Amino acid sequence: MPIAARVAELVLDHAPVGTATPAGPARLVEDLGFDSLHLMELLVSLQVEFGLEPFDDAELIGLSSVADLTTFVTSRIRPETGPETGIELSDSGALLGWLGSPRTDAGISWLDDNGEWISSSYAELAAAALGTAAWLRDQGVEPGDVVSLTLARVDDFVAAFFGVLAAGGVPSPLAPPLALGSLDNYVDHAAHLLALADPRLVIADAGIAEHLTAAVAKAALTCQVSQPLLKVDPASDATDGAITNPDPAAVALLQFTSGSSGRPRGIRLTVANLGANIGMIRRWLALGRDELTVTWLPLHHDMGLIGCLLTPIVNQSPLRTMRPDQFIRDPLRWLRCLGADGASVAVSPTFGFAYSLSRIKPEALAGLDFSNWRVAIVGAERVDPFVLQRFATLLEPHGFQPGTFRPAYGLAEATLAVTGTHGETPLAVRPDWSTMVPGQPVSVLDQGPLGAVPAGPGWVTCCGQPHPALLLEVLDDEGQPLPPGHFGEVAVSGPSVSTMAHLGGSTSATRLTGTQLRTGDAGFLYAGQLVVVGRTGDSLKVRGRHLFAEELEARLATETGLPAGRIAIALGIAAGRETAVLVCEQTLTDGQRAAAEAVLTRETGGADVRIETGPRGLVLRTSSGKTRRRELWQRYSG
């Protein structure tokens, strides 16, 4: 049973004031009637239930809600050990620990182009990684050298990624051409990333080696472009003595930001950063040894790489992978993994659930059973409560539960995960957007659990509590921490936050202040959970308050019927005037254009409105699907 659900049960058992479901926001004293005696009985029960050490009175100060109590209990649970290795997964050594004792009865399956699942055990993948490590040393790769990877097959990618790590190098995944459009654009994009990475070697599939060679030349580099190593026999001598023990402070991964707020930047993560975040994710999900995870997310993206690939591998739990294009062609195949083949953990941005709704009819789900689907992490972009409600409604006749959704917040600069819910039904709030004034309290007009959120604009999904090892604060314009419920910039510090200078420079929005990451995301804390409302760089300040592009897009879709996935808004100052640019991937009727202009004029307080229409592809997106608003502004605001 999830920690949150068990905490809620114990609260219900001890609460003087009866309640059917003591949700996270419920206050222990004001709502549930706890006095000191009842609270002490509850704390003793929690200690016994979860095997916790006795509590210090000072630790209990500020625990006012069920959500606070859940976060506190989660932080006190000792990390579990990885299968067979005895290594705590928050330790730096866990990243490569699985290579020493890999499972033969579990591994990774991937979907080939014929629709068949192909599998490799962890023992086979470990042998390939260690063989690759020996080969890399022969190629002159030394500890600290970057090796760039562009590989489509997951077995090739895993062998290369962990081979680089085992050789002491730094893997750096790059997006494949398919995600970026024209090959000319791809060469330019790859050249920019390679110039930042300065790799000793590039490993790429044969089909794109020519384009990577062109990118290397364009970046004025001299490194070689090689194809992935062939399979290695687990009994081969090539696997002997091939692991370089990692220094926790050594760089273990160079990952790139999506580029939604400018050109992608390189984020250098240490062994300790990566190990800490993987440990957080595993404990957050209570990921079982034999739980099957299924993913279609790209391997070069932080959520696909760390959340969906590295975490199951370090856990040595079974994994199924599809490519993004395979999901787009047939999202039902993804759902079959969860409704027929035993998968219980999945990860997707809101887009994946919305796309599934657009392609899958109720009758196609006949015979599927989603009662085993335990975790559906939702992140990487704004979490739309109405998409999740519609998806839950579609699958509920087949056993799906709304508490399966785990809205989460994270970013590449913090490795990945920062916050997440714990198995309770997600909460949505409707703030008064006119109160989004830096440093001031936000007025929340309404709230409701997923499934009971009334239709209408302005709703935002809460993204859960901060993971216990991280310190999350909301800051005012002077960088001072604000009380819960106040609007400001989200800042994070802790063991998984990269404190190295970003390659390619920091944006004005996302930057380091000492060891604290100022994320450039704006929001507030509500009932112990983080509510993210948008990027400060994608907002316009109108009469002292922030107006966010994402909220304008949601209002346009709700009030005009324009398809949410085919519109984008960029905000800024043009010729001294507040300006809103709407880019729409379809022709607008006179009525639609007038309605869009009316909404934007009303919401922006009379800003200039410019509308650009055209075919699919007009809205510029990153390789992970995020809107490139800065480029849209530069292209269409003049």
Side-chain angles (χ1 to χ4, degrees), residues 308-331:
C308 301
L309 184 70
L310 299 188
T311 297
I313 288 176
V314 170
N315 197 59
Q316 292 206 69
S317 50
L319 172 66
R320 278 193 177 187
T321 70
M322 303 167 59
R323 299 193 309 268
D325 62 292
Q326 293 172 323
F327 169 77
I328 293 297
R329 284 197 296 269
D330 186 8

PDB file of all heavy atoms in Angstrom, residues 308-331:
ATOM      1  N   CYS A 308      12.551   6.866 -16.369  1.00  0.00           N
ATOM      2  CA  CYS A 308      11.985   5.671 -17.010  1.00  0.00           C
ATOM      3  C   CYS A 308      13.012   4.609 -17.368  1.00  0.00           C
ATOM      4  O   CYS A 308      12.640   3.451 -17.575  1.00  0.00           O
ATOM      5  CB  CYS A 308      11.243   6.068 -18.289  1.00  0.00           C
ATOM      6  SG  CYS A 308       9.902   7.217 -18.031  1.00  0.00           S
ATOM      7  N   LEU A 309      14.284   4.974 -17.474  1.00  0.00           N
ATOM      8  CA  LEU A 309      15.302   4.005 -17.864  1.00  0.00           C
ATOM      9  C   LEU A 309      16.270   3.704 -16.726  1.00  0.00           C
ATOM     10  O   LEU A 309      16.386   2.559 -16.280  1.00  0.00           O
ATOM     11  CB  LEU A 309      16.070   4.512 -19.092  1.00  0.00           C
ATOM     12  CG  LEU A 309      17.111   3.531 -19.659  1.00  0.00           C
ATOM     13  CD1 LEU A 309      16.412   2.334 -20.304  1.00  0.00           C
ATOM     14  CD2 LEU A 309      18.036   4.224 -20.656  1.00  0.00           C
ATOM     15  N   LEU A 310      16.958   4.729 -16.222  1.00  0.00           N
ATOM     16  CA  LEU A 310      17.993   4.474 -15.223  1.00  0.00           C
ATOM     17  C   LEU A 310      17.426   3.950 -13.913  1.00  0.00           C
ATOM     18  O   LEU A 310      18.024   3.073 -13.275  1.00  0.00           O
ATOM     19  CB  LEU A 310      18.802   5.748 -14.973  1.00  0.00           C
ATOM     20  CG  LEU A 310      19.544   6.339 -16.168  1.00  0.00           C
ATOM     21  CD1 LEU A 310      20.447   7.484 -15.722  1.00  0.00           C
ATOM     22  CD2 LEU A 310      20.337   5.283 -16.922  1.00  0.00           C
ATOM     23  N   THR A 311      16.272   4.473 -13.490  1.00  0.00           N
ATOM     24  CA  THR A 311      15.708   4.017 -12.214  1.00  0.00           C
ATOM     25  C   THR A 311      15.343   2.533 -12.244  1.00  0.00           C
ATOM     26  O   THR A 311      15.742   1.773 -11.343  1.00  0.00           O
ATOM     27  CB  THR A 311      14.500   4.884 -11.813  1.00  0.00           C
ATOM     28  OG1 THR A 311      14.948   6.225 -11.600  1.00  0.00           O
ATOM     29  CG2 THR A 311      13.846   4.371 -10.542  1.00  0.00           C
ATOM     30  N   PRO A 312      14.598   2.030 -13.254  1.00  0.00           N
ATOM     31  CA  PRO A 312      14.345   0.582 -13.289  1.00  0.00           C
ATOM     32  C   PRO A 312      15.623  -0.245 -13.432  1.00  0.00           C
ATOM     33  O   PRO A 312      15.708  -1.342 -12.870  1.00  0.00           O
ATOM     34  CB  PRO A 312      13.440   0.412 -14.510  1.00  0.00           C
ATOM     35  CG  PRO A 312      12.793   1.741 -14.704  1.00  0.00           C
ATOM     36  CD  PRO A 312      13.831   2.740 -14.294  1.00  0.00           C
ATOM     37  N   ILE A 313      16.610   0.273 -14.171  1.00  0.00           N
ATOM     38  CA  ILE A 313      17.845  -0.497 -14.334  1.00  0.00           C
ATOM     39  C   ILE A 313      18.577  -0.634 -13.003  1.00  0.00           C
ATOM     40  O   ILE A 313      18.993  -1.734 -12.613  1.00  0.00           O
ATOM     41  CB  ILE A 313      18.758   0.163 -15.391  1.00  0.00           C
ATOM     42  CG1 ILE A 313      18.178  -0.037 -16.790  1.00  0.00           C
ATOM     43  CG2 ILE A 313      20.167  -0.429 -15.327  1.00  0.00           C
ATOM     44  CD1 ILE A 313      18.952   0.670 -17.887  1.00  0.00           C
ATOM     45  N   VAL A 314      18.768   0.478 -12.289  1.00  0.00           N
ATOM     46  CA  VAL A 314      19.439   0.402 -10.995  1.00  0.00           C
ATOM     47  C   VAL A 314      18.650  -0.478 -10.036  1.00  0.00           C
ATOM     48  O   VAL A 314      19.224  -1.209  -9.218  1.00  0.00           O
ATOM     49  CB  VAL A 314      19.636   1.821 -10.426  1.00  0.00           C
ATOM     50  CG1 VAL A 314      20.114   1.767  -8.980  1.00  0.00           C
ATOM     51  CG2 VAL A 314      20.646   2.601 -11.268  1.00  0.00           C
ATOM     52  N   ASN A 315      17.327  -0.440 -10.138  1.00  0.00           N
ATOM     53  CA  ASN A 315      16.456  -1.282  -9.317  1.00  0.00           C
ATOM     54  C   ASN A 315      16.437  -2.732  -9.796  1.00  0.00           C
ATOM     55  O   ASN A 315      15.991  -3.618  -9.072  1.00  0.00           O
ATOM     56  CB  ASN A 315      15.034  -0.718  -9.363  1.00  0.00           C
ATOM     57  CG  ASN A 315      14.160  -1.235  -8.261  1.00  0.00           C
ATOM     58  OD1 ASN A 315      14.468  -1.063  -7.085  1.00  0.00           O
ATOM     59  ND2 ASN A 315      13.056  -1.874  -8.627  1.00  0.00           N
ATOM     60  N   GLN A 316      16.924  -2.953 -11.022  1.00  0.00           N
ATOM     61  CA  GLN A 316      16.882  -4.265 -11.686  1.00  0.00           C
ATOM     62  C   GLN A 316      15.473  -4.842 -11.736  1.00  0.00           C
ATOM     63  O   GLN A 316      15.261  -6.049 -11.561  1.00  0.00           O
ATOM     64  CB  GLN A 316      17.849  -5.245 -11.019  1.00  0.00           C
ATOM     65  CG  GLN A 316      19.313  -4.876 -11.213  1.00  0.00           C
ATOM     66  CD  GLN A 316      20.228  -6.057 -11.127  1.00  0.00           C
ATOM     67  OE1 GLN A 316      20.223  -6.924 -12.000  1.00  0.00           O
ATOM     68  NE2 GLN A 316      21.023  -6.125 -10.073  1.00  0.00           N
ATOM     69  N   SER A 317      14.516  -3.976 -11.974  1.00  0.00           N
ATOM     70  CA  SER A 317      13.141  -4.423 -12.184  1.00  0.00           C
ATOM     71  C   SER A 317      12.852  -4.399 -13.681  1.00  0.00           C
ATOM     72  O   SER A 317      13.467  -3.638 -14.437  1.00  0.00           O
ATOM     73  CB  SER A 317      12.162  -3.536 -11.415  1.00  0.00           C
ATOM     74  OG  SER A 317      12.402  -2.165 -11.661  1.00  0.00           O
ATOM     75  N   PRO A 318      11.923  -5.233 -14.157  1.00  0.00           N
ATOM     76  CA  PRO A 318      11.697  -5.362 -15.600  1.00  0.00           C
ATOM     77  C   PRO A 318      11.175  -4.070 -16.225  1.00  0.00           C
ATOM     78  O   PRO A 318      10.460  -3.292 -15.588  1.00  0.00           O
ATOM     79  CB  PRO A 318      10.676  -6.491 -15.707  1.00  0.00           C
ATOM     80  CG  PRO A 318      10.058  -6.598 -14.347  1.00  0.00           C
ATOM     81  CD  PRO A 318      11.092  -6.153 -13.372  1.00  0.00           C
ATOM     82  N   LEU A 319      11.537  -3.875 -17.489  1.00  0.00           N
ATOM     83  CA  LEU A 319      11.211  -2.639 -18.196  1.00  0.00           C
ATOM     84  C   LEU A 319      10.835  -2.962 -19.635  1.00  0.00           C
ATOM     85  O   LEU A 319      11.469  -3.796 -20.283  1.00  0.00           O
ATOM     86  CB  LEU A 319      12.423  -1.701 -18.174  1.00  0.00           C
ATOM     87  CG  LEU A 319      12.360  -0.429 -19.017  1.00  0.00           C
ATOM     88  CD1 LEU A 319      11.286   0.512 -18.496  1.00  0.00           C
ATOM     89  CD2 LEU A 319      13.726   0.258 -19.038  1.00  0.00           C
ATOM     90  N   ARG A 320       9.782  -2.291 -20.132  1.00  0.00           N
ATOM     91  CA  ARG A 320       9.419  -2.349 -21.548  1.00  0.00           C
ATOM     92  C   ARG A 320       9.529  -0.943 -22.134  1.00  0.00           C
ATOM     93  O   ARG A 320       9.049   0.012 -21.528  1.00  0.00           O
ATOM     94  CB  ARG A 320       7.982  -2.853 -21.736  1.00  0.00           C
ATOM     95  CG  ARG A 320       7.843  -4.353 -21.686  1.00  0.00           C
ATOM     96  CD  ARG A 320       6.474  -4.766 -22.194  1.00  0.00           C
ATOM     97  NE  ARG A 320       6.340  -6.204 -22.220  1.00  0.00           N
ATOM     98  CZ  ARG A 320       5.296  -6.843 -22.739  1.00  0.00           C
ATOM     99  NH1 ARG A 320       4.287  -6.143 -23.257  1.00  0.00           N
ATOM    100  NH2 ARG A 320       5.241  -8.153 -22.727  1.00  0.00           N
ATOM    101  N   THR A 321      10.126  -0.830 -23.314  1.00  0.00           N
ATOM    102  CA  THR A 321      10.293   0.475 -23.932  1.00  0.00           C
ATOM    103  C   THR A 321       9.751   0.478 -25.365  1.00  0.00           C
ATOM    104  O   THR A 321       9.878  -0.505 -26.096  1.00  0.00           O
ATOM    105  CB  THR A 321      11.771   0.904 -23.970  1.00  0.00           C
ATOM    106  OG1 THR A 321      12.486   0.100 -24.907  1.00  0.00           O
ATOM    107  CG2 THR A 321      12.410   0.778 -22.603  1.00  0.00           C
ATOM    108  N   MET A 322       9.139   1.593 -25.703  1.00  0.00           N
ATOM    109  CA  MET A 322       8.725   1.879 -27.080  1.00  0.00           C
ATOM    110  C   MET A 322       9.369   3.207 -27.477  1.00  0.00           C
ATOM    111  O   MET A 322       9.659   4.044 -26.627  1.00  0.00           O
ATOM    112  CB  MET A 322       7.196   2.029 -27.172  1.00  0.00           C
ATOM    113  CG  MET A 322       6.405   0.852 -26.683  1.00  0.00           C
ATOM    114  SD  MET A 322       4.635   1.260 -26.466  1.00  0.00           S
ATOM    115  CE  MET A 322       4.164   1.766 -28.120  1.00  0.00           C
ATOM    116  N   ARG A 323       9.563   3.412 -28.754  1.00  0.00           N
ATOM    117  CA  ARG A 323      10.006   4.714 -29.226  1.00  0.00           C
ATOM    118  C   ARG A 323       8.814   5.669 -29.280  1.00  0.00           C
ATOM    119  O   ARG A 323       7.662   5.232 -29.408  1.00  0.00           O
ATOM    120  CB  ARG A 323      10.635   4.623 -30.615  1.00  0.00           C
ATOM    121  CG  ARG A 323      11.874   3.749 -30.701  1.00  0.00           C
ATOM    122  CD  ARG A 323      12.579   3.979 -32.030  1.00  0.00           C
ATOM    123  NE  ARG A 323      11.671   3.870 -33.170  1.00  0.00           N
ATOM    124  CZ  ARG A 323      11.440   2.763 -33.865  1.00  0.00           C
ATOM    125  NH1 ARG A 323      12.058   1.635 -33.522  1.00  0.00           N
ATOM    126  NH2 ARG A 323      10.593   2.755 -34.875  1.00  0.00           N
ATOM    127  N   PRO A 324       9.038   6.971 -29.199  1.00  0.00           N
ATOM    128  CA  PRO A 324       7.919   7.915 -29.289  1.00  0.00           C
ATOM    129  C   PRO A 324       7.097   7.756 -30.559  1.00  0.00           C
ATOM    130  O   PRO A 324       5.865   7.859 -30.521  1.00  0.00           O
ATOM    131  CB  PRO A 324       8.612   9.285 -29.235  1.00  0.00           C
ATOM    132  CG  PRO A 324       9.870   9.035 -28.468  1.00  0.00           C
ATOM    133  CD  PRO A 324      10.309   7.657 -28.868  1.00  0.00           C
ATOM    134  N   ASP A 325       7.753   7.497 -31.703  1.00  0.00           N
ATOM    135  CA  ASP A 325       6.986   7.356 -32.948  1.00  0.00           C
ATOM    136  C   ASP A 325       6.113   6.110 -32.918  1.00  0.00           C
ATOM    137  O   ASP A 325       5.032   6.076 -33.534  1.00  0.00           O
ATOM    138  CB  ASP A 325       7.923   7.325 -34.159  1.00  0.00           C
ATOM    139  CG  ASP A 325       8.890   6.150 -34.128  1.00  0.00           C
ATOM    140  OD1 ASP A 325       9.786   6.126 -33.255  1.00  0.00           O
ATOM    141  OD2 ASP A 325       8.757   5.256 -34.974  1.00  0.00           O
ATOM    142  N   GLN A 326       6.533   5.069 -32.197  1.00  0.00           N
ATOM    143  CA  GLN A 326       5.703   3.872 -32.074  1.00  0.00           C
ATOM    144  C   GLN A 326       4.467   4.156 -31.221  1.00  0.00           C
ATOM    145  O   GLN A 326       3.383   3.653 -31.513  1.00  0.00           O
ATOM    146  CB  GLN A 326       6.531   2.727 -31.478  1.00  0.00           C
ATOM    147  CG  GLN A 326       7.640   2.236 -32.403  1.00  0.00           C
ATOM    148  CD  GLN A 326       8.566   1.246 -31.716  1.00  0.00           C
ATOM    149  OE1 GLN A 326       8.874   1.382 -30.529  1.00  0.00           O
ATOM    150  NE2 GLN A 326       9.032   0.251 -32.457  1.00  0.00           N
ATOM    151  N   PHE A 327       4.640   4.952 -30.184  1.00  0.00           N
ATOM    152  CA  PHE A 327       3.488   5.360 -29.385  1.00  0.00           C
ATOM    153  C   PHE A 327       2.520   6.193 -30.216  1.00  0.00           C
ATOM    154  O   PHE A 327       1.300   6.001 -30.143  1.00  0.00           O
ATOM    155  CB  PHE A 327       3.955   6.158 -28.169  1.00  0.00           C
ATOM    156  CG  PHE A 327       2.842   6.855 -27.430  1.00  0.00           C
ATOM    157  CD1 PHE A 327       1.999   6.156 -26.580  1.00  0.00           C
ATOM    158  CD2 PHE A 327       2.629   8.220 -27.596  1.00  0.00           C
ATOM    159  CE1 PHE A 327       0.962   6.791 -25.910  1.00  0.00           C
ATOM    160  CE2 PHE A 327       1.598   8.872 -26.929  1.00  0.00           C
ATOM    161  CZ  PHE A 327       0.766   8.157 -26.089  1.00  0.00           C
ATOM    162  N   ILE A 328       3.035   7.120 -31.007  1.00  0.00           N
ATOM    163  CA  ILE A 328       2.175   7.982 -31.818  1.00  0.00           C
ATOM    164  C   ILE A 328       1.368   7.146 -32.817  1.00  0.00           C
ATOM    165  O   ILE A 328       0.177   7.404 -33.043  1.00  0.00           O
ATOM    166  CB  ILE A 328       3.015   9.037 -32.566  1.00  0.00           C
ATOM    167  CG1 ILE A 328       3.641  10.018 -31.566  1.00  0.00           C
ATOM    168  CG2 ILE A 328       2.190   9.786 -33.595  1.00  0.00           C
ATOM    169  CD1 ILE A 328       2.633  10.823 -30.772  1.00  0.00           C
ATOM    170  N   ARG A 329       1.988   6.134 -33.379  1.00  0.00           N
ATOM    171  CA  ARG A 329       1.268   5.289 -34.348  1.00  0.00           C
ATOM    172  C   ARG A 329       0.195   4.448 -33.672  1.00  0.00           C
ATOM    173  O   ARG A 329      -0.862   4.198 -34.248  1.00  0.00           O
ATOM    174  CB  ARG A 329       2.256   4.380 -35.096  1.00  0.00           C
ATOM    175  CG  ARG A 329       3.062   5.078 -36.162  1.00  0.00           C
ATOM    176  CD  ARG A 329       3.689   4.082 -37.114  1.00  0.00           C
ATOM    177  NE  ARG A 329       4.663   3.221 -36.464  1.00  0.00           N
ATOM    178  CZ  ARG A 329       5.962   3.493 -36.374  1.00  0.00           C
ATOM    179  NH1 ARG A 329       6.434   4.622 -36.874  1.00  0.00           N
ATOM    180  NH2 ARG A 329       6.784   2.660 -35.775  1.00  0.00           N
ATOM    181  N   ASP A 330       0.451   4.005 -32.434  1.00  0.00           N
ATOM    182  CA  ASP A 330      -0.489   3.081 -31.796  1.00  0.00           C
ATOM    183  C   ASP A 330      -0.423   3.218 -30.274  1.00  0.00           C
ATOM    184  O   ASP A 330       0.206   2.412 -29.591  1.00  0.00           O
ATOM    185  CB  ASP A 330      -0.171   1.640 -32.206  1.00  0.00           C
ATOM    186  CG  ASP A 330      -1.196   0.636 -31.697  1.00  0.00           C
ATOM    187  OD1 ASP A 330      -2.235   1.070 -31.156  1.00  0.00           O
ATOM    188  OD2 ASP A 330      -0.960  -0.577 -31.831  1.00  0.00           O
ATOM    189  N   PRO A 331      -1.089   4.245 -29.711  1.00  0.00           N
ATOM    190  CA  PRO A 331      -1.056   4.400 -28.247  1.00  0.00           C
ATOM    191  C   PRO A 331      -1.738   3.254 -27.503  1.00  0.00           C
ATOM    192  O   PRO A 331      -1.464   3.035 -26.324  1.00  0.00           O
ATOM    193  CB  PRO A 331      -1.778   5.727 -28.020  1.00  0.00           C
ATOM    194  CG  PRO A 331      -2.625   5.934 -29.233  1.00  0.00           C
ATOM    195  CD  PRO A 331      -1.858   5.317 -30.361  1.00  0.00           C
TER     196      PRO A 331
END
